[in-house]
Amino acid sequence: MSRNNDAQPTLRARLWARPGGRVALILVGLIILIALLAPVLTALEGQDPNTYHDNLLNSATGGGPNAPFGGISAAHWLGIEPTTGRDVFARLVYGARISLLVAAGATLGQLLLGLLVGLAAGLGNRWADTLLSRFTDLVLSFPYLFFSIALLAIVPQSFPRPVLLCVILAGLYWAPTARIVRAETLVLREREFVAAARLYGASVWRVARKEILPGLAAPVVTFTALMVPSNMVAEAGLSFLGLGVQPPTPSWGQMLSTATTWFQTDPEYVLVPALTLLLCVLAFVALGEEIRRAVDPKGAGR
Amino acid sequence: MFNNPLPARRIKLASLSAAALLVGGLAAACGGSSTTTGATSFNAASCTGGTLNVLDQSTEDTGLDPAVLYTSGGGAIPRLLFRTLTTRDTTAGAKGRTVVPDLATDTGEASENATVWTYHLKSGLKYANGEAITSADIKYGIERSFSSVLAGGPPYLRDWLVGGSTYQGPYGSDPDLASITTPNPTTIVFHLRKPEGDFPYLAAETQFAPVPKADDTGKNYNADPVSSGPYTIQSFTKGKELVLVRNTYWSRGTDSQRLACPDKIDISLGLSSTVIDQRLASSIGQDADAITTDTDVDTATLAKSASQPSLKARLTSGNFPDTTYLAFNTKAAPFDNQLVREAFSYAVDRTSLVNAQGGSQLATALTTYDPPSIGGAYHPYDYFPAGASGNAAKAKQLLAQAGYPDGLTVTLAYDSNGSSYDGPANAAALQQALAKAGITLKLDAIDDSNFDAVVTNTKTEPALSLFSWGADWPSGAPFLTPIFDGRDIVQGGGNFNLAQYSDPSVEAEIDKINQITDNSKAQAAWGDLDAQLGKLALTVPLYTVNDVVLHGSNVKNTYVDQWRGWYDISSVSVK
């Protein structure tokens, strides 16, 4: 019987051994570092995400930056935001915090809900299984986007938005995890070591925790790693629609949203958040893929 | 004054669903910044013919019932179908703010202290069905607007007419509204319960259009109303298309305010603002003959026009009088203290707010409550000069005097809708500017659907909110009275006197001005009142919006009128 904590160092080592895994790990580590060090990095640049620089804008032609290339300069490494003159680099690195925070929170919520429902369905009796499985199907068939929009619109603005985003993304997207967990549980519960544990009189809770859960680690970790980037995109999408964090808190989705009207005259302002988001999502997808290969070498071609 | 003032700022919001009003813009640029393009080759005598295409966001879901429409100055498209007792002057520039006779021979004879208004109709007026227009039809049209099944128009008639508050419309057991009399088929007399020097402005609303009783189909009238204007409806599919063709019984001989150049007007409804901007910008095929009556140019097209003279030549700007301002609740601390209000007035950075609107072409900084675009009622003053980007030192000094030497923290309520003019971009800009003066602004985002309900309710009104006001017509009365008349403080919802300010001497002055029927004197008096109220720092005026609109390359005689801030569709030509 493999112990849960044995799998961890093995996985990391296996990832590091693969060139793709190494790149993905470094990129993701870098992104997390940038988010954590946002205050340090902006201090290094000498800017902060909320100070207006009206003097750098051309009010007569719509409030875009005076200087070419979005106002990129030694003082503003990635230029300035049209109509406000706020520093794009500072907003970008602070925006990373929201993106990562929401992606991590939502993924954690999806994981917990998925495990709970999946395990209960897999280990419960026929009625519990049918009920929970049909419920999972029901949640899977929700039109996610419309539901998120409706919920975000109903909840008062005073409720902290990042928390709300986590709760909504977790509450609407846990079903795929639950399905995987249930399917794996159904296989595992027929295995001899589970039967043995039951014969010893172990409670269902103990069986779930000590016997089933370690066996679920590989498929669940793989799937979860791929949920992180999809949650990141979902957060950006909702912020893009104006349902994310409220100003002046910076977020990538919000930057993309304000940038859409500027893509013809100040393309730099669109490219910066768009490419950053692309890079982050790619890094997390690559990491997820590498984890899958590392955990399950035989299924690498799947 | 208005017992039940329907928000005049609603005009802007309702514009998409109503007929022809404005969505974003307003105006400023000292008097008549509007430009006339294509005028070189325009000749009113030979402008007739062709098909004008109109690209609109409006779906016209509520249809075209003159009783239900809530327009400013008769609207754009409704004004092609409905003639009213008076109307706005169809002229570019400042003159476009004046009210002129339409069906009537003059803008009204006032008597008994401006409480009785008499109008005489021109001769030879006919509907599109050939029948003659009579004063009884105008009375009937107004009576219809009191019916609960035809609700939606402006609230003033109900408040102003004797017996208006209890009258239920012509369909009930008591069909006659006695305060409107028609001594003969060409005369109509209105009896008001109080002096209203602004009555001629109200008579430009579609409620003053004639409706023949025999053709009234009640709720269904909105699909095929009997036209009194230069066009009549050929086909109408709500949300899709409205096609207007000539009313053969109309002639320029009886109508000096509509040129009606195109033979046909094809209005595409329910388009997105992006589609409209792109189609007008590219101006290909039929879109060269196109304009819009409800879509401002987007900031990207505006920025692009800086380097494209051909595009710039097709941009037209004009004004709708509107003010976006910081509203203090003077019944709540710390804004009961005038020094604190003055400190805020000094601390604001109007440049960043103008930039947040899309720069100086789209907005103009404002230090007066009445914007310049309101005309005679604009009285320049700047009692608390903040300069272009705020005077933080002076603000700090005033705060110290007021007992806040270490600054203070307050919450600003704003409309969270990103596209709304009093939205998040403004709140963030204010937060930054006030921080320099030691004021920590916490932001309270209220959802768009709930914002007015919270802010205009005296029980829930925040101490500080970001608000906008636009007037139903270009006069000081609808601009100042709902905001500063203490008798207009409505307990519960629908209160627009956000300062909750009340002063009997100001109210006496308002009553006095309402009795003035000489418009230029009345407007000057409103301007003086604004300048007097400004000293109290009851609001911090921030900016007024300019309307910039695009038109197809083949459309001539385009100008944005100074009453509504939109194209005057009755003047344009495609020949």
Side-chain angles (χ1 to χ4, degrees), chain A:
Chain A
M1 233 189 317
S2 71
R3 299 276 304 273
N4 196 20
N5 48 359
D6 293 341
Q8 290 289 2
T10 333
L11 176 62
R12 204 180 304 154
R14 270 194 244 164
L15 267 177
W16 193 252
R18 308 172 63 94
R22 206 175 292 181
V23 171
L25 269 180
I26 291 174
L27 269 178
V28 167
L30 208 64
I31 293 164
I32 294 172
L33 206 65
I34 286 175
L36 286 175
L37 293 181
V40 179
L41 289 169
T42 48
L44 221 62
E45 192 202 17
Q47 302 293 343
D48 77 86
N50 290 327
T51 299
Y52 279 54
H53 300 281
D54 288 323
N55 52 328
L56 301 176
L57 302 173
N58 188 346
S59 190
T61 58
N66 264 326
F69 306 113
I72 292 180
S73 66
H76 300 280
W77 297 348
L78 293 176
I80 49 170
E81 188 182 54
T83 77
T84 64
R86 292 184 290 200
D87 187 73
V88 171
F89 175 77
R91 293 190 71 74
L92 200 71
V93 293
Y94 272 97
R97 295 183 147 193
I98 294 292
S99 278
L100 290 182
L101 203 72
V102 171
T107 309
L108 195 72
Q110 287 156 359
L111 181 65
L112 289 179
L113 278 172
L115 275 176
L116 203 70
V117 176
L119 276 172
L123 292 176
N125 61 24
R126 199 158 53 89
W127 284 109
D129 185 19
T130 309
L131 211 68
L132 287 170
S133 295
R134 291 298 83 79
F135 180 60
T136 308
D137 290 345
L138 185 75
V139 172
L140 263 179
S141 59
F142 278 159
Y144 296 130
L145 187 63
F146 291 115
F147 241 76
S148 321
I149 292 173
L151 282 171
L152 283 164
I154 291 169
V155 178
Q157 295 283 347
S158 49
F159 194 89
R161 287 274 129 169
V163 178
L164 182 65
L165 283 166
C166 289
V167 169
I168 286 177
L169 288 176
L172 289 174
Y173 291 76
W174 55 265
T177 313
R179 272 196 160 179
I180 289 171
V181 169
R182 175 181 169 270
E184 292 291 330
T185 307
L186 286 180
V187 174
L188 285 172
R189 65 184 266 184
E190 304 305 325
R191 298 279 290 273
E192 280 141 15
F193 61 86
V194 178
R198 282 197 160 166
L199 274 176
Y200 268 115
S203 66
V204 177
W205 175 240
R206 195 191 150 78
V207 168
R209 212 157 41 92
K210 293 283 179 189
E211 312 300 333
I212 308 277
L213 214 48
L216 289 175
V220 168
V221 164
T222 309
F223 190 73
T224 304
L226 289 168
M227 288 303 284
V228 174
S230 88
N231 282 326
M232 210 173 229
V233 172
E235 186 274 331
L238 292 170
S239 288
F240 181 85
L241 294 173
L243 299 159
V245 290
Q246 287 298 317
T249 317
S251 102
W252 294 349
Q254 225 175 48
M255 289 175 86
L256 281 171
S257 168
T258 46
T260 47
T261 52
W262 290 93
F263 69 96
Q264 283 174 313
T265 43
D266 186 8
E268 183 271 347
Y269 182 51
V270 192
L271 287 176
V272 167
L275 289 179
T276 312
L277 186 64
L278 178 77
L279 196 71
C280 280
V281 170
L282 268 180
F284 276 101
V285 168
L287 185 68
E289 185 65 13
E290 290 297 332
I291 288 176
R292 188 175 71 80
R293 291 184 191 202
V295 166
D296 179 18
K298 275 177 280 176
R302 199 167 46 185

Side-chain angles (χ1 to χ4, degrees), chain B residues 2-11 14 18-19 21 65-75 84 141-142 144-147 150-161 164 199 201-209 471-473 478 563:
Chain B
F2 317 123
N3 285 337
N4 178 22
L6 243 175
R9 75 189 281 269
R10 274 288 166 226
I11 274 210
L21 314 190
D65 189 318
V68 181
L69 291 169
Y70 196 147
T71 66
S72 173
T84 41
I142 293 168
R144 288 177 83 242
S145 73
F146 283 79
S147 167
L150 300 175
Y156 304 101
L157 279 166
R158 198 172 281 281
D159 184 34
W160 291 2
L161 283 171
F199 191 80
Y201 285 104
L202 185 65
E205 304 279 340
T206 56
Q207 282 67 26
F208 286 75
D472 278 353
W473 55 80
W563 184 308

Side-chain angles (χ1 to χ4, degrees), chain B residues 449-504:
Chain B
S449 58
N450 210 17
F451 182 75
D452 275 12
V454 171
V455 173
T456 68
N457 188 327
T458 48
K459 292 187 187 72
T460 56
E461 190 193 332
L464 182 67
S465 37
L466 189 57
F467 212 72
S468 286
W469 187 260
D472 278 353
W473 55 80
S475 158
F479 226 81
L480 295 173
T481 42
I483 312 298
F484 299 112
D485 189 327
R487 295 161 297 184
D488 272 0
I489 302 174
V490 187
Q491 296 303 327
N495 171 50
F496 293 97
N497 185 339
L498 296 183
Q500 303 198 25
Y501 167 75
S502 166
D503 179 349

Side-chain angles (χ1 to χ4, degrees), chain B residues 475-563:
Chain B
S475 158
F479 226 81
L480 295 173
T481 42
I483 312 298
F484 299 112
D485 189 327
R487 295 161 297 184
D488 272 0
I489 302 174
V490 187
Q491 296 303 327
N495 171 50
F496 293 97
N497 185 339
L498 296 183
Q500 303 198 25
Y501 167 75
S502 166
D503 179 349
S505 72
V506 168
E507 286 148 25
E509 179 65 17
I510 287 173
D511 286 348
K512 217 172 93 192
I513 305 173
N514 271 328
Q515 296 176 26
I516 306 174
T517 52
D518 179 332
N519 189 43
S520 60
K521 277 187 191 148
Q523 296 310 323
W526 288 121
D528 294 343
L529 181 63
D530 181 37
Q532 177 196 328
L533 288 163
K535 290 178 185 153
L536 301 173
L538 297 167
T539 65
V540 185
L542 298 172
Y543 63 86
T544 177
V545 178
N546 306 326
D547 287 304
V548 183
V549 204
L550 192 62
H551 63 80
S553 56
N554 198 29
V555 186
K556 299 181 188 76
N557 198 31
T558 52
Y559 62 87
V560 173
D561 72 64
Q562 297 295 99
W563 184 308

